[in-house]
Amino acid sequence: MTLAPPHAAALAELARTRSATRSAALLRSTLHARRLLLLKALSVRVHRHRDAVDAAVFRRFAESWGLLERVEDRHPGVVRDLLDYPTTGTWLATALMEPLGPGLDRHLARLDILAVTAALRSGAPLDVTVDAPGGALSLPGVGRLRAAGAGRVRIRARSRTVLIQGPTRRAPVVLVLADRRSGALTGGGPGWTGLRVLSGSAARLDDLDPYRVPPGGIGSPARAGSEHAMTDRAAWSACWRSAQDLLARTDPARATEVRRSVRALVPLVSRGPGSSGATLSVAPGAVLTSLPSGAQDMAETLVHEVHHGKLATLHELVPLYLPGRAAVHRVGWRSDPRPIAGVLHGAYAHLALTDLWRRAATAEGVPTPWRISAGQQFDRFHDQVDDALTILLESDELTSEGREFVHQMRLHHASLGAAPRAAG
């Protein structure tokens, strides 16, 4: 593949780990195109195997598809925002890999909820009844209703007001469309929990969505998403705010990138002191982590995981490495040998952190402990990143675009110098 000049320039921007308008727009368009492709693939699979899908499920799938198309005709931005939300990517990947049968039928019901959520966020009139498996109805990016007992939930919307009535006679949940442009729904009622919006951004603290973590958890040993009842939302919000303040004082451009890139902060069950972050390649924009120990830990986790998401999205557009290779390599930040994809991801995320640490060690106005720690971290990882870049450039596992990308990474790494010079 030969990249057109605009894409080649964006590739070089991305390799330097610095956010720019051109490269950010490229990643957004790539992510959306990927979501549309996966959604179409799911539709093709459902229609190809229609006889294996429960008849009622198939009928609802077709009706929901039609509703989503009608909303998109009038409010394309609402549908795009919903399709690009991280949990939509996890749902699509899960549904496409699920064998035919009851499991797939359960996953297909999610399209019903996506279409209804899109309609509600657009202000379209609506009167539908949907399933609430286990008594839970989760509207992606909005919140969750815990109905008393399993059953079906009626959703009515007119103008800016939404009524959600569970299977019992208790009062309905009342939501209001506060802003048609953003599609923000606010309100409450019995059994309703809305997602918390993190200050200064559009990111949600998402401890509700059933697809916030893949079925079976993430990592080895598998880690589950923290349940809402176990999430200290005030502590998470405070940690987010303090990390944003620290990033803004250290590197305003990177702080802006984090605010714009992170759509969901997903709490994971803790394994002990300190945070342990992860990013799903199918759900860039979601940072999955246990509660960080403080502003510095949170800031580093956010920067690290944002760059995993950027690289995963870029690789969908421009393959950077060849598939199916069995070779593994040693890197300084891991005790286990890594495949070439792991080396590239680790080098890219740590290059971004090395850039951040250099700025923290040399900037004026940052807290002294942060400046000292950043200098130490720079010293620790600078040579490790250099060694990883050498491994990548000496490998035959990169594509030509991947080799050019790593070459640009090396140029940026060299520009950081061997050691930061502290501000006077």
Side-chain angles (χ1 to χ4, degrees), residues 41-54:
L42 182 61
S43 176
V44 168
R45 185 186 186 205
V46 169
H47 283 82
R48 181 176 296 163
H49 301 285
R50 178 174 180 172
D51 292 342
V53 176
D54 180 86

Side-chain angles (χ1 to χ4, degrees), residues 17-321:
T17 78
R18 306 297 301 171
S19 178
T21 302
R22 176 168 41 197
S23 57
L26 177 64
L27 292 179
R28 286 194 299 270
S29 64
T30 299
L31 172 63
H32 188 62
R34 178 66 173 171
R35 291 289 164 83
L36 292 177
L37 180 64
L38 293 178
L39 189 61
K40 180 63 176 178
L42 182 61
S43 176
V44 168
R45 185 186 186 205
V46 169
H47 283 82
R48 181 176 296 163
H49 301 285
R50 178 174 180 172
D51 292 342
V53 176
D54 180 86
V57 171
F58 182 85
R59 182 177 65 255
R60 289 299 303 164
F61 186 88
E63 291 172 353
S64 300
W65 189 280
L67 175 59
L68 199 62
E69 286 184 327
R70 292 193 297 275
V71 175
E72 186 180 33
D73 284 343
R74 299 189 62 183
H75 303 277
V78 168
V79 174
R80 177 171 184 152
D81 187 72
L82 190 59
L83 292 182
D84 293 354
Y85 191 68
T87 59
T88 303
T90 308
W91 163 66
L92 284 167
T94 302
L96 285 167
M97 295 187 66
E98 183 72 22
L100 297 172
L104 176 60
D105 290 347
R106 287 192 295 271
H107 291 308
L108 293 180
R110 175 73 167 195
L111 184 66
D112 202 6
I113 302 304
L114 282 171
V116 166
T117 303
L120 297 179
R121 290 185 54 191
S122 72
L126 195 69
D127 189 345
V128 295
T129 300
V130 298
D131 288 326
L137 175 71
S138 181
L139 304 182
V142 181
R144 182 181 67 190
L145 172 67
R146 279 289 188 190
R152 294 178 51 84
V153 173
R154 185 180 181 187
I155 302 176
R156 291 168 290 166
R158 178 174 293 181
S159 184
R160 294 176 178 268
T161 303
V162 178
L163 301 179
I164 306 177
Q165 180 71 61
T168 65
R169 293 182 178 272
R170 67 181 179 179
V173 169
V174 180
L175 304 180
V176 176
L177 181 62
D179 182 356
R180 289 183 184 274
R181 290 176 298 177
S182 66
L185 290 165
T186 60
W192 175 259
T193 304
L195 290 179
R196 175 169 291 195
V197 179
L198 296 168
S199 63
S201 74
R204 268 66 174 162
L205 180 64
D206 200 335
D207 55 355
L208 298 174
D209 197 298
Y211 289 95
R212 66 191 186 277
V213 177
I218 183 172
S220 181
R223 303 178 65 197
S226 176
E227 292 299 325
H228 171 69
M230 303 300 293
T231 303
D232 186 341
R233 288 184 155 194
W236 279 92
S237 295
C239 195
W240 168 272
R241 286 194 302 271
S242 59
Q244 291 300 316
D245 178 68
L246 186 62
L247 285 172
R249 294 167 68 181
T250 305
D251 188 344
R254 202 171 288 285
T256 299
E257 179 185 38
V258 167
R259 287 197 304 272
R260 291 177 177 173
S261 300
V262 177
R263 297 287 309 279
L265 186 62
V266 178
L268 295 178
V269 175
S270 176
R271 285 180 176 168
S275 65
S276 177
T279 297
L280 301 171
S281 62
V282 297
V287 173
L288 292 74
T289 179
S290 53
L291 181 62
S293 59
Q296 178 180 327
D297 193 10
M298 173 70 94
E300 292 173 354
T301 297
L302 291 172
V303 171
H304 186 101
E305 299 307 330
V306 160
H307 282 79
H308 281 310
K310 288 165 65 175
L311 194 65
T313 303
L314 177 62
H315 183 66
E316 294 288 350
L317 175 67
V318 185
L320 302 173
Y321 47 85

Side-chain angles (χ1 to χ4, degrees), residues 3-15:
L3 290 178
H7 282 187
L11 194 74
E13 290 175 354
L14 288 166

